Amino acid sequence: MMNRDFYFFGIFFLGLYVVAALFQSIIFFQIGYQIYNLQSFSNWFLVVVGTSLVGLVFMLKYFHHKGYRLVFITGAIFVIASLYQNTIIYLLLLLFREVESYYLTALILSLSAAFLYAISLVFSKAGREPWLKVLGVFMIILVGISVYLLILSRNVPSGQPPTSIVTQLNQWVALANCLMPVPVIVLFYRELKPLKTSDEVNRSNQYTGLMYALGGIAAFMTFVLGIRIGTQSYWSTHVSASTKAMSEPFESRSYVNQKGDILLYRLMEPQDYNPNQQYPMVVCLHGGAGWGTDNYRNIEGSLFARMLSEPENRKKYPSFLFVPQCPPGSSWGGYLNLPTVDSLVFETISVLEDEFAIDEERLYVVGHSLGGYGAWHFAGTRPDKFAAAIPVAGEGNPALASNIRDVATWAFHGANDRNVPVSGSRDMIDAIEQAGGNPRYTESPNGGHSWEIVTETPRVLDWLFAQQRN
């Protein structure tokens, strides 16, 4: 007979996972894929997966004790496959792009293992226990829906956002996954009740203290990180007064193309604008902090826009500042295979060139982090459009280096950047030089994923505004 403590801790860890996963699912419904961009999500993900893993170990021990050999084996395979998939996801959250190609394989392995596990729960000896059969049937349905979602996702054209049906189904599948441990929790509770009056099974074993400590740490971390991502989720959909004030000097605008696609952006005209005189335009691509659909955060998230809008710089470098906003779950291009809004940006640029006195020979693209990826991507895919690019803490595609050869480029990166590896800039600079280009590169030996490397380098803006296409 199983020890009472076994059932108690099994219920505790499985229940804690259900609560945490439900909380995460609610946030996923509220802000969609933007949940993966929350600052504390990687730590939260680690705690939730760890809690789930402990709960699964209790389930495996139960299957072993009951003699459900086939379920124990398939369950162990499922745990290993899930751990592999979650490891890939965690590395992607930390922006280790080199593991991106393994994700599809990990997902297929996890779904296959889940299907075998579910089949064994229904059709093996374990299926005689009604709650385990319920779990097996539930998992079979979820695996079927997940496979359908995978097929739908693979049919979405490259660079396009997921359809609303894919997003909604993903949200409901995430919610259903939260409830997967419930049948086992009910089963454990049923078997726990008759043990309450037995002195023999109430004896604590040597692992009880460890389980109490582990459970306390898991509960504490779930509570603390839950508050953090809840707060970050709130502010991802609510704009602070300071963020609004930062955006006010820029005109709020939007562009809608013939397909109905919308690009929100902010525009600042040159100081003392004269329509009879031509001015350069700087395309300021924000980093991850600017993601949204509010047309406010793009200014706060664009360090170049904030720097160039300072009074002394407006006076010294009269120019148009074009600051588009990238919707959550999208990118400027070249970033983790996220759908891109680059074509919308280029269309908007053409509209602005028709509307204002913009010098088409002096169009510049600049950006940090997510914007750094975009700056490399824009210069590489539209070298005919840009006179200069300043990618900061970004990563480009070396295959496009020959296109960037004739675009004046000055890249910046910190050697200790943990968000975007410094190799992202080094490889691009080497590739451009091999293609016959002459790019500039400034690397901070002690810098991280920081912006200061630009502000501490003299005459960066002098260099930028001196560039002219052709």
Side-chain angles (χ1 to χ4, degrees), residues 213-236:
L214 185 60
I217 293 173
F220 177 76
M221 293 299 295
T222 301
F223 177 76
V224 172
L225 291 173
I227 291 177
R228 286 187 180 179
I229 70 165
T231 302
Q232 291 164 11
S233 171
Y234 173 84
W235 285 115
S236 71

Side-chain angles (χ1 to χ4, degrees), residues 21 78 97 104 125-126 141-142 356 413 421-422:
F78 170 67
R97 292 191 62 193
L104 180 60
K125 184 171 64 173
I141 295 172
L142 280 181
F356 295 100
H413 218 127
V422 68

Side-chain angles (χ1 to χ4, degrees), residues 2 5 13 168 309 367 373 396 406:
M2 302 296 290
D5 287 337
F13 282 102
Q168 291 172 11
S309 63
Y373 280 87
D406 296 324

